[in-house]
Amino acid sequence: MVYFLGAGCGAADLITVRGMRLIEAADVIVYAGSLVNPELLSYADKACEVYDSSGMTLDEVISVIVRAEAEKKTTVRLHTGDPSIYGAVREQMDELDARNIPYESCPGVSACFGAAASLNLEFTLPDVSQSLIITRMAGRTSVPAAESIESFAAHQASMAVYLSSSMIEELSERLIKGGCSPDTPAAIVYKASWKDEEKYVCTVATLPETAAAHNIRKTAVILVGKCISPSAYSKSRLYSSDFETSFRPVKKE
Protein backbone atom coordinates (compact mmCIF):
# COMPACT_ATOMS: atom_id res chain seq x y z
CA MET A 1 0.00 0.00 0.00
CA VAL A 2 1.17 3.53 -0.78
CA TYR A 3 0.24 6.62 1.22
CA PHE A 4 0.66 10.13 -0.18
CA LEU A 5 1.21 12.10 2.99
CA GLY A 6 1.30 15.83 3.66
CA ALA A 7 4.23 16.64 5.95
CA GLY A 8 2.80 20.03 6.87
CA CYS A 9 4.45 23.41 6.46
CA GLY A 10 7.55 22.81 8.54
CA ALA A 11 7.36 22.15 12.26
CA ALA A 12 7.58 18.42 12.96
CA ASP A 13 4.68 18.56 15.41
CA LEU A 14 2.35 20.14 12.84
CA ILE A 15 1.93 16.85 11.00
CA THR A 16 -1.45 15.21 11.58
CA VAL A 17 -1.77 12.38 14.10
CA ARG A 18 -2.72 10.08 11.22
CA GLY A 19 0.34 11.21 9.30
CA MET A 20 2.64 10.54 12.23
CA ARG A 21 1.21 7.05 12.61
CA LEU A 22 1.69 6.35 8.91
CA ILE A 23 5.36 7.32 9.18
CA GLU A 24 5.75 5.10 12.24
CA ALA A 25 4.29 2.15 10.31
CA ALA A 26 6.18 2.75 7.05
CA ASP A 27 8.65 0.24 5.64
CA VAL A 28 9.74 2.68 2.92
CA ILE A 29 9.65 6.49 2.90
CA VAL A 30 10.27 8.64 -0.17
CA TYR A 31 10.39 12.25 0.99
CA ALA A 32 10.94 15.64 -0.64
CA GLY A 33 14.30 16.34 1.00
CA SER A 34 14.63 19.88 -0.31
CA LEU A 35 11.46 21.00 1.48
CA VAL A 36 10.34 18.50 4.13
CA ASN A 37 11.68 18.95 7.66
CA PRO A 38 14.04 15.98 8.24
CA GLU A 39 12.96 15.91 11.90
CA LEU A 40 9.81 14.12 10.68
CA LEU A 41 11.94 11.09 9.87
CA SER A 42 12.54 10.62 13.59
CA TYR A 43 9.03 9.14 13.76
CA ALA A 44 10.11 6.32 11.42
CA ASP A 45 11.29 2.89 12.52
CA LYS A 46 15.07 2.44 12.41
CA ALA A 47 14.65 -0.35 9.85
CA CYS A 48 12.68 1.88 7.46
CA GLU A 49 14.25 2.51 4.06
CA VAL A 50 14.43 6.26 3.36
CA TYR A 51 14.88 7.90 -0.04
CA ASP A 52 15.33 11.62 -0.75
CA SER A 53 13.31 12.43 -3.87
CA SER A 54 14.99 15.83 -4.40
CA GLY A 55 17.63 14.08 -6.50
CA MET A 56 15.31 11.58 -8.15
CA THR A 57 13.25 11.55 -11.34
CA LEU A 58 9.62 10.46 -11.53
CA ASP A 59 10.69 7.10 -12.97
CA GLU A 60 13.13 6.57 -10.10
CA VAL A 61 10.49 7.37 -7.49
CA ILE A 62 8.02 4.98 -9.10
CA SER A 63 10.70 2.30 -9.33
CA VAL A 64 11.24 2.46 -5.55
CA ILE A 65 7.49 2.23 -4.93
CA VAL A 66 7.03 -0.66 -7.37
CA ARG A 67 9.85 -2.62 -5.73
CA ALA A 68 8.42 -1.99 -2.26
CA GLU A 69 4.99 -3.10 -3.40
CA ALA A 70 6.42 -6.32 -4.84
CA GLU A 71 7.94 -6.99 -1.43
CA LYS A 72 4.58 -6.27 0.24
CA LYS A 73 5.96 -3.26 2.06
CA THR A 74 4.11 -0.10 3.12
CA THR A 75 5.36 3.02 1.37
CA VAL A 76 4.88 6.61 2.50
CA ARG A 77 5.39 9.26 -0.17
CA LEU A 78 6.06 12.27 2.02
CA HIS A 79 5.32 15.64 0.42
CA THR A 80 5.70 19.11 1.85
CA GLY A 81 2.57 20.96 3.03
CA ASP A 82 -0.54 19.36 1.61
CA PRO A 83 -0.01 17.05 -1.39
CA SER A 84 -3.01 18.51 -3.23
CA ILE A 85 -1.34 21.93 -3.61
CA TYR A 86 1.62 22.00 -6.02
CA GLY A 87 2.49 18.47 -4.96
CA ALA A 88 2.89 16.89 -8.42
CA VAL A 89 1.00 13.89 -7.06
CA ARG A 90 -1.43 13.27 -9.90
CA GLU A 91 1.32 12.10 -12.24
CA GLN A 92 2.55 9.66 -9.60
CA MET A 93 -0.96 8.37 -8.99
CA ASP A 94 -1.47 7.81 -12.71
CA GLU A 95 1.67 5.69 -12.80
CA LEU A 96 0.39 3.63 -9.87
CA ASP A 97 -3.04 3.29 -11.49
CA ALA A 98 -1.36 1.88 -14.60
CA ARG A 99 0.26 -0.77 -12.41
CA ASN A 100 -2.83 -1.47 -10.26
CA ILE A 101 -1.00 -0.35 -7.12
CA PRO A 102 -3.43 0.91 -4.44
CA TYR A 103 -2.87 4.22 -2.67
CA GLU A 104 -4.51 6.69 -0.31
CA SER A 105 -3.92 10.34 0.55
CA CYS A 106 -3.49 11.97 3.94
CA PRO A 107 -3.75 15.78 4.09
CA GLY A 108 -1.28 18.17 5.66
CA VAL A 109 -1.09 21.80 6.79
CA SER A 110 -0.23 23.93 3.77
CA ALA A 111 2.17 26.88 3.97
CA CYS A 112 -0.52 29.54 3.64
CA PHE A 113 -2.20 28.24 6.79
CA GLY A 114 1.09 28.02 8.64
CA ALA A 115 1.76 31.61 7.59
CA ALA A 116 -1.70 32.74 8.70
CA ALA A 117 -1.15 31.13 12.09
CA SER A 118 2.23 32.83 12.42
CA LEU A 119 0.63 36.21 11.76
CA ASN A 120 -2.53 35.43 13.76
CA LEU A 121 -4.72 36.48 10.87
CA GLU A 122 -8.05 35.38 9.43
CA PHE A 123 -8.27 35.21 5.64
CA THR A 124 -12.07 35.47 5.61
CA LEU A 125 -13.17 38.54 7.55
CA PRO A 126 -16.78 39.69 7.01
CA ASP A 127 -16.97 42.83 4.85
CA VAL A 128 -13.25 42.48 4.03
CA SER A 129 -12.85 39.20 2.16
CA GLN A 130 -14.78 35.95 2.03
CA SER A 131 -12.48 34.16 -0.39
CA LEU A 132 -8.91 32.91 -0.44
CA ILE A 133 -7.10 32.56 -3.75
CA ILE A 134 -4.12 30.19 -3.78
CA THR A 135 -1.97 30.73 -6.83
CA ARG A 136 1.56 31.09 -8.18
CA MET A 137 3.51 32.99 -10.81
CA ALA A 138 4.37 31.20 -14.03
CA GLY A 139 7.86 29.75 -13.99
CA ARG A 140 9.09 26.47 -15.42
CA THR A 141 5.52 25.31 -14.99
CA SER A 142 3.10 27.52 -16.90
CA VAL A 143 -0.10 29.03 -15.51
CA PRO A 144 -3.33 29.07 -17.57
CA ALA A 145 -3.95 32.49 -19.11
CA ALA A 146 -7.31 32.76 -17.36
CA GLU A 147 -5.52 32.46 -14.01
CA SER A 148 -3.17 35.42 -14.35
CA ILE A 149 -2.09 37.39 -11.29
CA GLU A 150 -3.85 40.43 -12.74
CA SER A 151 -7.18 38.61 -13.06
CA PHE A 152 -7.04 37.41 -9.47
CA ALA A 153 -5.94 40.80 -8.15
CA ALA A 154 -9.09 42.31 -9.62
CA HIS A 155 -11.21 40.31 -7.16
CA GLN A 156 -9.65 42.05 -4.13
CA ALA A 157 -9.88 38.72 -2.29
CA SER A 158 -7.27 37.42 0.12
CA MET A 159 -4.40 35.80 -1.79
CA ALA A 160 -1.63 33.35 -0.99
CA VAL A 161 1.06 33.27 -3.67
CA TYR A 162 3.37 30.27 -3.70
CA LEU A 163 6.63 29.57 -5.52
CA SER A 164 7.09 33.20 -6.52
CA SER A 165 9.53 34.85 -4.11
CA SER A 166 12.24 34.87 -6.77
CA MET A 167 9.92 36.92 -9.00
CA ILE A 168 8.60 39.23 -6.33
CA GLU A 169 9.23 42.50 -8.21
CA GLU A 170 7.18 41.27 -11.17
CA LEU A 171 4.52 39.99 -8.78
CA SER A 172 4.21 43.42 -7.16
CA GLU A 173 3.89 45.12 -10.54
CA ARG A 174 1.27 42.68 -11.78
CA LEU A 175 -0.81 42.88 -8.61
CA ILE A 176 -0.95 46.67 -8.96
CA LYS A 177 -1.69 46.38 -12.68
CA GLY A 178 -4.57 44.04 -11.86
CA GLY A 179 -6.21 46.48 -9.47
CA CYS A 180 -4.50 46.18 -6.08
CA SER A 181 -3.77 49.56 -4.55
CA PRO A 182 -0.02 49.96 -3.92
CA ASP A 183 -0.76 50.31 -0.20
CA THR A 184 -2.70 47.03 -0.03
CA PRO A 185 -1.35 45.07 2.95
CA ALA A 186 0.97 42.20 2.14
CA ALA A 187 3.26 39.83 4.01
CA ILE A 188 6.23 37.61 3.31
CA VAL A 189 6.53 34.50 5.48
CA TYR A 190 9.75 32.58 5.01
CA LYS A 191 9.71 28.91 6.12
CA ALA A 192 6.44 29.20 8.01
CA SER A 193 6.53 27.32 11.34
CA TRP A 194 10.20 26.26 10.98
CA LYS A 195 12.64 27.19 13.74
CA ASP A 196 14.24 29.76 11.42
CA GLU A 197 10.94 31.27 10.27
CA GLU A 198 10.94 34.93 9.27
CA LYS A 199 7.85 37.08 8.72
CA TYR A 200 7.47 40.62 7.45
CA VAL A 201 4.33 42.69 6.98
CA CYS A 202 4.55 45.32 4.26
CA THR A 203 2.48 46.51 1.30
CA VAL A 204 2.10 45.32 -2.26
CA ALA A 205 4.33 48.19 -3.42
CA THR A 206 7.08 47.44 -0.89
CA LEU A 207 7.18 43.67 -1.42
CA PRO A 208 10.39 43.81 -3.52
CA GLU A 209 12.36 46.01 -1.14
CA THR A 210 11.18 44.00 1.87
CA ALA A 211 12.34 40.74 0.30
CA ALA A 212 15.65 42.31 -0.76
CA ALA A 213 16.27 43.79 2.68
CA HIS A 214 15.99 40.37 4.27
CA ASN A 215 17.58 38.39 1.41
CA ILE A 216 14.49 36.26 0.79
CA ARG A 217 14.55 34.59 -2.61
CA LYS A 218 12.86 31.22 -2.00
CA THR A 219 10.90 29.06 0.43
CA ALA A 220 8.42 31.83 1.23
CA VAL A 221 4.70 32.29 0.78
CA ILE A 222 3.45 35.77 -0.05
CA LEU A 223 0.12 36.88 1.37
CA VAL A 224 -1.89 39.76 -0.05
CA GLY A 225 -5.09 41.40 1.12
CA LYS A 226 -6.77 43.73 3.55
CA CYS A 227 -7.23 40.82 5.96
CA ILE A 228 -3.56 41.22 6.93
CA SER A 229 -4.07 44.68 8.47
CA PRO A 230 -7.82 45.28 8.53
CA SER A 231 -8.91 48.82 9.36
CA ALA A 232 -12.47 47.64 10.01
CA TYR A 233 -14.58 44.52 9.67
CA SER A 234 -17.98 43.20 10.74
CA LYS A 235 -18.38 40.60 13.44
CA SER A 236 -19.53 37.16 12.37
CA ARG A 237 -23.29 36.65 12.57
CA LEU A 238 -22.67 33.12 13.84
CA TYR A 239 -22.15 34.27 17.42
CA SER A 240 -24.63 37.15 17.42
CA SER A 241 -27.31 36.91 20.12
CA ASP A 242 -30.07 37.54 17.55
CA PHE A 243 -28.83 34.82 15.18
CA GLU A 244 -30.64 31.53 15.68
CA THR A 245 -28.95 28.21 14.91
CA SER A 246 -29.99 24.58 15.38
CA PHE A 247 -27.84 24.60 18.53
CA ARG A 248 -28.78 27.98 19.99
CA PRO A 249 -32.06 29.93 20.00
CA VAL A 250 -32.18 33.71 19.75
CA LYS A 251 -31.17 35.21 23.06
CA LYS A 252 -33.27 38.16 24.15
CA GLU A 253 -31.44 41.01 25.76
Side-chain angles (χ1 to χ4, degrees), residues 19-74:
M20 181 183 68
R21 289 174 177 164
L22 287 172
I23 292 176
E24 290 173 339
D27 300 304
V28 176
I29 295 175
V30 183
Y31 79 110
S34 60
L35 295 168
V36 170
N37 187 343
E39 291 180 16
L40 287 162
L41 299 177
S42 66
Y43 297 131
D45 188 88
K46 291 182 179 179
C48 181
E49 300 173 37
V50 178
Y51 298 85
D52 181 353
S53 65
S54 63
M56 300 168 71
T57 64
L58 174 61
D59 287 343
E60 289 170 337
V61 169
I62 297 301
S63 177
V64 169
I65 295 174
V66 169
R67 185 169 63 252
E69 191 68 15
E71 296 172 357
K72 301 188 183 305
K73 293 180 177 179
T74 297

Side-chain angles (χ1 to χ4, degrees), residues 43-246:
Y43 297 131
D45 188 88
K46 291 182 179 179
C48 181
E49 300 173 37
V50 178
Y51 298 85
D52 181 353
S53 65
S54 63
M56 300 168 71
T57 64
L58 174 61
D59 287 343
E60 289 170 337
V61 169
I62 297 301
S63 177
V64 169
I65 295 174
V66 169
R67 185 169 63 252
E69 191 68 15
E71 296 172 357
K72 301 188 183 305
K73 293 180 177 179
T74 297
T75 300
V76 165
R77 180 65 173 103
L78 189 58
H79 283 267
T80 186
D82 184 277
S84 69
I85 300 177
Y86 307 121
V89 292
R90 183 69 262 165
E91 60 200 55
Q92 297 173 72
M93 293 174 179
D94 287 344
E95 292 290 338
L96 300 186
D97 285 338
R99 294 166 173 80
N100 294 315
I101 295 175
Y103 55 86
E104 293 180 5
S105 296
C106 179
V109 179
S110 192
C112 68
F113 303 119
S118 178
L119 294 168
N120 292 312
L121 65 83
E122 180 179 350
F123 285 124
T124 53
L125 282 172
D127 292 335
V128 175
S129 174
Q130 288 292 287
S131 302
L132 170 63
I133 296 171
I134 297 175
T135 189
R136 64 187 293 276
M137 294 274 283
R140 292 184 182 181
T141 301
S142 62
V143 172
E147 298 179 16
S148 69
I149 293 295
E150 291 88 344
S151 67
F152 286 145
H155 293 287
Q156 302 294 302
S158 301
M159 294 179 66
V161 187
Y162 285 61
L163 304 168
S164 303
S165 47
S166 65
M167 300 175 279
I168 202 163
E169 184 169 355
E170 180 186 351
L171 172 63
S172 173
E173 293 172 353
R174 293 179 63 181
L175 285 167
I176 293 170
K177 183 179 178 181
C180 280
S181 169
D183 62 0
T184 299
I188 302 171
V189 183
Y190 169 79
K191 298 185 74 172
S193 83
W194 290 68
K195 292 176 182 177
D196 54 346
E197 173 192 272
E198 297 179 36
K199 54 187 175 182
Y200 306 101
V201 174
C202 55
T203 66
V204 166
T206 60
L207 276 168
E209 63 187 73
T210 303
H214 300 283
N215 199 32
I216 295 175
R217 298 189 180 91
K218 61 180 181 178
T219 327
V221 62
I222 299 156
L223 307 181
V224 177
K226 295 176 182 177
C227 67
I228 297 169
S229 302
S231 56
Y233 65 93
S234 297
K235 291 182 179 179
S236 169
R237 292 287 296 153
L238 179 60
Y239 300 108
S240 176
S241 60
D242 64 350
F243 186 82
E244 184 172 350
T245 74
S246 57

